[in-house]
Amino acid sequence: AGGGITFNGDTASANALDDYEEGTWAVKLTDLGGNQATLSYALGTYTKIGRQVIANYDVRMSSKASMTGNYVLLTLPFNHAGSTNGTGTIDKFNNMTTAFSSMAWDVTSTASVAWLVGVEATSATSSVYVTVAEISNTTKLKGTIIYFIP
């Protein structure tokens, strides 16, 4: 009665599934100072189940605009819970100015955004934060971020 769904006879209200939501959000690519890229296409959809968020995005830039600096950030539909509470995949990336063998989103810091990271070239042994200089005016990024909210 208003307490959510429970499973296998569990009667603890703390374990009840009492929150489910689907929606869209305004996806933005920014630098650390909040300067936004101009996007020719931006699609963000999410499903929130309890504290878990599954956010799908597809962004296509038409200009870096006034973005500068050492970091590229993606806004999230909900603030994340901090370090070790999620990760983001990039299954398609195009038009970078640096060769990357893989890319992902780091959600260990600033709660409202994910930080773009990548493995440069094929011989690199660790990921680095992607700088604004390493994206182009026509960079495209598509994937999924899964994380927990506070």
Side-chain angles (χ1 to χ4, degrees):
I5 300 170
T6 58
F7 299 94
N8 295 328
D10 187 349
T11 59
S13 61
N15 296 334
L17 177 58
D18 59 0
D19 186 15
Y20 179 88
E21 180 180 336
E22 295 180 1
T24 61
W25 93 97
V27 183
K28 297 175 186 148
L29 285 176
T30 69
D31 64 15
L32 190 56
N35 299 308
Q36 291 183 30
T38 303
L39 303 177
S40 61
Y41 181 82
L43 176 64
T45 63
Y46 67 85
T47 301
K48 184 165 89 61
I49 305 167
R51 291 183 51 233
Q52 185 176 54
V53 177
I54 304 163
N56 299 295
Y57 62 89
D58 186 353
V59 292
R60 300 170 197 168
M61 294 173 49
S62 59
S63 170
K64 290 194 277 188
S66 59
M67 289 177 68
T68 61
N70 294 325
Y71 304 101
V72 177
L73 311 172
L74 179 81
T75 59
L76 296 171
F78 302 94
N79 286 354
H80 64 76
S83 184
T84 69
N85 277 291
T87 192
T89 63
I90 298 175
D91 59 39
K92 184 165 178 85
F93 59 92
N94 295 66
N95 305 331
M96 304 299 291
T97 62
T98 298
F100 286 91
S101 58
S102 68
M103 300 183 86
W105 293 104
D106 176 7
V107 292
T108 61
S109 187
T110 314
S112 60
V113 297
W115 300 59
L116 185 59
V117 296
V119 177
E120 294 178 317
T122 56
S123 61
T125 58
S126 62
S127 62
V128 297
Y129 288 103
V130 175
T131 69
V132 172
E134 294 173 312
I135 62 174
S136 75
N137 283 324
T138 59
T139 291
K140 299 176 185 179
L141 303 166
K142 180 182 139 327
T144 301
I145 302 173
I146 300 173
Y147 63 97
F148 286 93
I149 62 173

